[in-house]
Amino acid sequence: MEAVSDTLQSGEWMPRCLGDLDGIAEKTRDPGLDESMPMFTDQVYVERRKYFSDIAKRYKYGEPLPRVEYTDDEIKTWGAVYRKTTQLFPTHVCRQYNEMFTLMVKEGIISEDNIPQLEDVSDFLKARTGFTLRPVPGMLSSRAFLNVLAFRVFFCAQYVRHGAHSTYAPEPDVCHDILGHMPTLADPAFADFTYNIGIASLGATDESIEKLVRIYWYTAEFGLCKEAGNLKAYGAGLISSSEELMYCLTNKPEHQPLDADKMAMKPFPITTIQPMYFVAESIEDMQTRVREYTSRVPKPA
């Protein structure tokens, strides 16, 4: 696996089949979190995170997705996140997301009382847009994360944020991935947008990867759009955080018109609430502009 790690960093290697994603799954990175946070000092939580990490590292392509028996505390945290965020959806979140979220609730995929199992969500997505899920032990490198999207695969967390972080989590967890990303990945146009970013990342230079991940960050993670004259969120990082979902639509942060070239050049903070957001004229406008940008990413020889 050391050879894979070296080439992943240099940009000379890329996955060529679904089986190659097994190697990528082990290449996580440190998100640079404050080690005094409860998630590091709570030994029970630390052990639980190791349990989820081990499950993800053992998983191999073609196996059934592992089902998890969540603890009462984990279900309680999920329920708290669910209630605090979903009450904001009608007023703060875009139409496309709300349509797919409503469908997933109706189909019994998402509910307040139970944390969804990856296999159930994956089957639902596969039938709608061709996307499937697999477990992830932690935060992937930018290249690895983008590359797997080209296979219509999303690495999804199974671990739950610490109960002390129910309104804002400093790293992705199952609440972020399921509540934030899954409804948009169930939308065919948004799924194609995600896939196209993944395709552009295959064999790309390190510089291009850095630019592509910024574009993904400012759209799929923290994007805003206009809808009937109002600002709405469509980014998963916003939708899965009641604190930031309320904040992002106020006049406190900076709002800039969506510009793919500007997004590609603007660094972002990972573990704090965002100081600024890019605003698209519509979801369709965002997808068109990003598609034009990805068409200009240099292709490997």
Side-chain angles (χ1 to χ4, degrees):
M1 298 309 296
E2 288 304 315
V4 173
S5 176
D6 291 342
T7 51
L8 276 172
Q9 294 301 315
S10 70
E12 297 171 358
W13 181 90
M14 64 180 181
R16 298 181 182 277
C17 65
L18 287 167
D20 286 345
L21 305 190
D22 289 343
I24 283 180
E26 299 180 5
K27 305 304 168 186
T28 58
R29 63 188 179 91
D30 181 359
L33 300 176
D34 181 356
E35 294 191 2
S36 67
M37 299 173 73
M39 60 184 293
F40 293 111
T41 58
D42 182 339
Q43 193 56 40
V44 173
Y45 184 80
V46 170
E47 289 299 318
R48 191 64 173 164
R49 282 291 295 268
K50 182 180 184 302
Y51 165 76
F52 285 111
S53 177
D54 290 344
I55 288 177
K57 288 178 179 179
R58 288 195 300 267
Y59 176 78
K60 300 301 179 185
Y61 168 68
E63 296 176 350
L65 289 169
R67 290 185 174 270
V68 174
E69 184 174 343
Y70 288 98
T71 66
D72 290 343
D73 284 344
E74 288 165 344
I75 296 171
K76 181 179 178 180
T77 298
W78 162 271
V81 175
Y82 185 100
R83 289 189 297 275
K84 291 173 183 177
T85 55
T86 57
Q87 67 181 354
L88 298 171
F89 287 178
T91 54
H92 287 60
V93 178
C94 73
R95 173 185 58 80
Q96 290 88 338
Y97 176 94
N98 276 315
E99 288 179 353
M100 290 301 102
F101 176 77
T102 299
L103 178 61
M104 294 182 77
V105 171
K106 182 179 178 181
E107 294 282 331
I109 305 299
I110 296 179
S111 69
E112 177 182 341
D113 300 326
N114 290 290
I115 301 173
Q117 297 291 339
L118 295 197
E119 181 116 31
D120 299 334
V121 180
S122 186
D123 289 346
F124 176 82
L125 292 179
K126 187 174 183 180
R128 286 198 56 81
T129 64
F131 261 87
T132 58
L133 305 181
R134 61 175 293 161
V136 65
M139 189 175 289
L140 297 174
S141 72
S142 297
R143 180 179 295 279
F145 177 79
L146 294 178
N147 279 181
V148 301
L149 300 178
F151 294 83
R152 291 189 181 263
V153 171
F154 190 93
F155 274 74
C156 186
Q158 289 183 292
Y159 52 87
V160 184
R161 66 189 64 180
H162 193 279
H165 302 296
S166 64
T167 61
Y168 172 83
E171 62 171 344
D173 72 325
V174 69
C175 303
H176 168 89
D177 286 348
I178 298 292
L179 288 175
H181 285 291
M182 297 307 111
T184 50
L185 286 178
D187 176 79
F190 205 97
D192 287 346
F193 151 79
T194 305
Y195 165 77
N196 287 332
I197 290 182
I199 288 293
S201 77
L202 292 177
T205 64
D206 289 344
E207 180 183 3
S208 291
I209 289 293
E210 187 174 9
K211 291 178 178 179
L212 284 170
V213 83
R214 288 171 179 165
I215 287 176
Y216 185 89
W217 183 269
Y218 286 118
T219 55
E221 291 290 354
F222 292 95
L224 296 177
C225 66
K226 295 179 182 178
E227 191 176 280
N230 298 309
L231 283 182
K232 300 286 185 177
Y234 66 88
L238 302 175
I239 293 170
S240 59
S241 166
S242 58
E243 181 179 350
E244 191 159 5
L245 185 54
M246 289 187 289
Y247 164 83
C248 71
L249 302 188
T250 69
N251 58 8
K252 294 179 181 179
E254 179 183 357
H255 296 121
Q256 290 192 15
L258 187 145
D259 183 313
D261 290 292
K262 287 184 179 180
M263 290 191 297
M265 299 302 295
K266 189 169 182 62
F268 52 82
I270 297 178
T271 60
T272 62
I273 285 179
Q274 302 299 297
M276 66 84 59
Y277 306 95
F278 285 94
V279 182
E281 290 299 313
S282 65
I283 290 289
E284 293 78 14
D285 170 63
M286 177 276 291
Q287 294 167 346
T288 298
R289 289 173 181 268
V290 173
R291 188 181 307 114
E292 190 279 328
Y293 180 90
T294 58
S295 71
R296 294 187 275 116
V297 175
K299 302 297 189 293

